[in-house]
Amino acid sequence: MISNDPNWLGGNRAALTTEGNDFWLTFMNNNMINPEDPANKNNPEFKFEMKVAISAREEMDVVIAAGSVVIETVHVNAGATLTYTIDNNSYAKDIYLFESEVQKYKGVHVYAAEGSKDKVFSCFLYSRVGGTGLSSRDASLVIPTRFLGKEYIVQTYPEDLKSTQLAIVATESNTTVKVVPTFDTYGGKTTAGTTITLNLSKGEAYLIASKEHEGEDFMVDLSGTTICSDKPIAVFNGNQQTGIPNREAYSQDFMMEQAIPIEQWGTEFYLTNLENTRINYALVTAAYANTDVEIVTYNAETGLTETNSVLLNEAGKATHPIAINDSKRKEVTIRSLDPSKPILCYSYITSAAVNEFCTSTAFDDICYTYGDPANAMMPAWNHRVKSMNMFTEPLDPQGGAKTPQHFFAYVITKTEDTDKLTLNGGAVTATFYRFHSNNDLSYAHIPLPNTSSYHLIESSGDGFIGTVYGLTDAQGYYYTLGFKPPQPHDSIYVTNTNEIMSRGSYDMDSLDGHGWYQRQWNEWIEGKERLDTAIICDSMSVSWAVETPAEKPIKKIEWAIYDVTGVKGAENGKI
């Protein structure tokens, strides 16, 4: 069965990467700022921005809606980024998630308009509040609807001056969601470990914030919170206002990132210290109990690598923050020692006071404190793509227009492919460095020109992964570069051979004579058994559809079904 549904994984580039034609997103509580407060509304210096950025390779029209209500249809030029600011006077009360555990908000739906449904784009959200030079902001890549899942584990930075938080957007009607928070929620509405059960309509958005800190205890961490749904949902997580590495750090900020479902987690991550920063941090979360995590660090002062391991003995358990700095730990490689136990890795930019850089002149020292707390989900090495577009958004530095603004793409690729990368059609001029933990891979922090908000990196080699970040004095944002999600772990193959197909063949261009089974959320054959492939959730069923070559086989094919996940199946995985 081949579906014409735009969320069906088939046919073009949209089937493989985070470029798509249908997205759901939301705007979480930023720094406890309420745009409806008259003090803010009547303040001409006050800024409140909810932006959607659309980066498209081809000319197309895109619809932006609040739930089912169309806000505007916008036209995007080929090879350009259109950044659309949603009118907060008209829509903030409906789409800005200020209150926790209240069912009254709508998610934002961004999708290709009629006449453009065969085209794809990258989608980003950007949230900013405050005054010029003293604002709280972050950006996030948005994941296409077709890659959303039903099982999530939340990752937030453990300390916050206000609350950590998560948000959910339902993509289908009558969606049941169960959330088990690991920390008491805001206002004492739900105690840790108690299940919150929701029934959400299509396009409905819902916020859960942690209880505020008490006294000097700023640990209000929702990390490890589990989210289970019977239909695909979009999940976002982050911090309302945090200081990194700790609350005393000057220049606290808002952080947000879209969470990826557990089935898209990875096992191998490569991190380095970001440009114009002194120190960054990483957090690693386990999907399965008793996950051994290997951490290899390179000390630039000694020229040596050091290997340590951490046992995460519970599902949802996270490591302590792992430091990555510009000298003693310039590179960090993180691996799950068991390929069947995926992990999640987040990278964090630190507060501005930690990142001071000074230049001596004949008269004085000119100093800048770059960045602000911001986070990005690190793509795993198997998430690599061969082509991806991205956006940059100008900053408003505290020091004024003369303060330098820096934009970078942190890119990891095979060492043999470093000369096969291009930026905006031209050569990449950045210096590549080999990872000391794996000489086969190299990295670079590629400067992005501030003359355009649209950027495109391509490779004629095996591909790349990375992140994007912008820094200036006391300001910054950080997000995940678009990637290729691995095919879900509950995918199975149908083959006319006696061998189980490898994960390396999880592409749409499967060999002739093979069919591919992929889960579908609707249309199930009555009376047929469904497979249960849940990782953290109980009684999660999926339905299946089959895609086979259009050409008539030369000879009769006898199909055998194998479960490549090991969750179900008999001897040798044969079902």
Side-chain angles (χ1 to χ4, degrees), residues 108-422:
V108 176
H109 195 191
V110 183
Y111 55 96
E114 291 294 333
S116 295
K117 289 187 176 296
D118 60 338
K119 301 175 183 178
V120 297
F121 58 95
S122 291
C123 183
F124 311 89
L125 70 92
Y126 185 88
S127 174
R128 173 179 176 245
V129 301
T132 300
L134 291 171
S135 55
S136 181
R137 77 188 74 214
D138 203 4
S140 175
L141 173 73
V142 183
I143 309 300
T145 306
R146 68 176 173 281
F147 284 131
L148 300 179
K150 301 188 291 182
E151 295 181 288
Y152 294 86
I153 295 178
V154 168
Q155 175 65 70
T156 59
Y157 193 77
E159 290 195 8
D160 201 286
L161 278 78
K162 293 176 180 174
S163 297
T164 59
Q165 58 190 355
L166 66 95
I168 298 164
V169 184
T171 67
E172 296 186 18
S173 299
N174 195 30
T175 296
T176 299
V177 184
K178 295 184 178 181
V179 182
V180 183
T182 54
F183 197 86
D184 293 352
T185 66
Y186 192 84
K189 291 183 178 180
T190 305
T191 57
T194 302
T195 301
I196 301 171
T197 301
L198 305 170
N199 186 271
L200 302 178
S201 303
K202 182 177 181 178
E204 188 173 358
Y206 191 85
L207 179 76
I208 298 175
S210 71
K211 184 180 177 181
E212 317 93 304
H213 74 86
E214 296 181 353
E216 294 302 308
D217 184 3
F218 289 82
M219 299 294 289
V220 291
D221 193 9
L222 281 173
S223 292
T225 295
T226 57
I227 303 174
C228 298
S229 173
D230 64 343
K231 295 174 184 177
I233 55 176
V235 174
F236 297 80
N237 45 212
N239 293 62
Q240 290 180 0
Q241 185 190 20
T242 189
I244 300 177
N246 52 55
R247 61 188 177 276
E248 288 88 3
Y250 154 69
S251 185
Q252 299 87 10
D253 209 346
F254 163 75
M255 298 195 301
M256 64 175 175
E257 188 77 356
Q258 180 161 8
I260 59 173
I262 297 173
E263 62 198 19
Q264 293 170 16
W265 291 14
T267 58
E268 187 177 9
F269 303 87
Y270 293 87
L271 300 93
T272 66
N273 196 65
L274 302 178
E275 291 292 301
N276 294 106
T277 66
R278 298 293 187 194
I279 187 169
N280 313 134
Y281 286 90
L283 284 172
V284 177
T285 302
Y288 293 89
N290 299 316
T291 297
D292 273 312
V293 177
E294 179 186 76
I295 303 170
V296 182
T297 60
Y298 167 66
N299 188 320
E301 292 181 347
T302 65
L304 301 176
T305 59
E306 178 182 336
T307 302
N308 293 287
S309 62
V310 176
L311 177 64
L312 300 176
N313 56 11
E314 299 176 12
K317 183 80 172 180
T319 61
H320 293 296
I322 302 166
I324 310 156
N325 58 37
D326 57 1
S327 57
K328 292 185 179 180
R329 277 188 166 187
K330 193 174 182 66
E331 302 170 8
V332 174
T333 300
I334 299 171
R335 300 185 182 98
S336 172
L337 294 177
D338 184 343
S340 69
K341 294 182 176 181
I343 53 179
L344 176 71
C345 181
Y346 269 46
S347 172
Y348 296 88
I349 296 177
T350 47
S351 298
V354 183
N355 303 312
E356 184 177 55
F357 292 82
C358 297
T359 302
S360 296
T361 69
F363 304 100
D364 202 355
D365 287 343
I366 300 175
C367 298
Y368 297 110
T369 51
Y370 284 111
D372 237 359
N375 66 178
M377 188 277 298
M378 283 300 302
W381 174 237
N382 67 322
H383 287 156
R384 59 191 179 275
V385 292
K386 292 188 177 183
S387 178
M388 186 52 60
N389 51 24
M390 67 211 77
F391 94 111
T392 50
E393 176 75 6
L395 297 159
D396 52 341
Q398 183 173 343
K402 293 183 179 180
T403 305
Q405 299 188 41
H406 302 280
F407 306 95
F408 297 94
Y410 167 52
V411 170
I412 304 149
T413 190
K414 285 186 176 179
T415 301
E416 64 186 24
D417 291 342
T418 56
D419 61 348
K420 298 176 183 177
L421 286 174
T422 61

Side-chain angles (χ1 to χ4, degrees), residues 64-94:
I64 300 172
S68 60
V69 178
V70 173
I71 299 174
E72 192 164 340
T73 299
V74 297
H75 183 78
V76 187
N77 293 325
T81 295
L82 183 143
T83 301
Y84 181 82
T85 301
I86 298 175
D87 180 10
N88 57 33
N89 290 323
S90 300
Y91 296 101
K93 65 181 183 299
D94 294 324

Side-chain angles (χ1 to χ4, degrees), residues 527-549:
K528 297 293 183 180
E529 182 182 0
R530 301 187 182 196
L531 300 182
D532 181 357
T533 57
I535 298 172
I536 62 169
C537 306
D538 296 328
S539 304
M540 299 292 288
S541 295
V542 295
S543 34
W544 305 89
V546 64
E547 179 187 280
T548 55

